[in-house]
Amino acid sequence: MIALLLLPLALPWFLPLLARRAVARVHPEVALWAITVSAAALAIGVVACLGALLLPVALAVPALAAVAHLVEPLRAGPRVLVLGVSVMAAGTLMITCVTVARRVWSESRRLGAVRGGVAHLPHAGGLCVVDDPRPDAFALPGGLRGQARIVVTTGMLRALDARERETLLAHERAHLAGRHHLFLAVVQLAGWCHPALAAVVPQVSFAAERAADEVAARATGDRKLTARAVGRAALAATRGPGPGQLPVVAAGAVTGPVPARVKALLFQAPVRRVAPVLLAMALTCSLAAASAFSGAVLLHRGVEVAQGENPSG
């Protein structure tokens, strides 16, 4: 049983390799969905398994054992091994919960600060121009009360010509239309649950940028123009003073490995087939789910036995 519950904790280490292959071999939108769903599924499995592993040490406490109506100790394997693993799971789960709470609070405050900084500024069709010499542009998602915004600094507008500006705006509109902030938020949350899942955050960010690049290329009808706009925006951002740190969900125009994005626009057409890497990701998630479910079933039967019940009845 313990081995079955430990397996979902190890499987997330395979996802970063699969994610890197996915963003290179499949259409950006497909890669974005596949990596995000896989990361979310594995994170849920991790938390569920940590919670299940916590049960043996919890039921070793007489007061809790009485509440659970145990008539004999819960037997889930060698007592020293089970209690040792259970104590480590309890500590890991506590650290995970504290980390998630602190990071969510921090990101929420950062997002609120950015929204507050542009809330008073005039906008036209959701476009907000900030008088700032630092070249920057990003899509700011709307909240329960606020409207989504495309925020562009005057420094970025001066760095691009008219056609490149239109391409940049098409790119940022694609982020908002595709709700890429939700993908970024989900995968970031998954990364706070398991260190291996944190390694796929850059891959999801890159897939989101590539998906927006492709939408902008279709909107302008010119892949070279889109590649030039991406490159010049990134070059301007590196030459100017660095912008403040943005929240994770605010997708920036110069995010990710820009040379790879430019190369994909100039020399690669999106691959629209189901690559074997997607099947491998699905298999990894299925294996994690099956292991977690089997371990939970065996643990449940162990509790029934400890309660003096007939597990087959």
Side-chain angles (χ1 to χ4, degrees), residues 117-128:
V118 300
H120 65 284
L121 298 177
H123 66 92
L127 173 62
C128 180

Side-chain angles (χ1 to χ4, degrees), residues 19 22-24 26-36 139 168 170-185 187 200-218 226 230 248-257 261 265:
V23 295
V26 301
H27 189 277
E29 284 285 353
V30 177
L32 184 62
W33 274 97
I35 299 171
T36 303
L168 179 73
H171 174 99
E172 298 302 342
R173 283 193 291 267
H175 279 312
L176 295 178
R179 297 183 179 273
H180 293 165
H181 60 282
L182 297 180
F183 295 90
L184 295 170
V187 77
V200 305
V201 174
Q203 307 304 325
V204 170
S205 177
F206 178 63
E209 294 303 324
R210 283 284 300 114
D213 288 343
E214 292 298 330
V215 173
R218 289 196 297 270
T226 305
V230 169
V248 173
V249 296
V254 294
T255 303
R261 291 169 54 193
L265 285 166

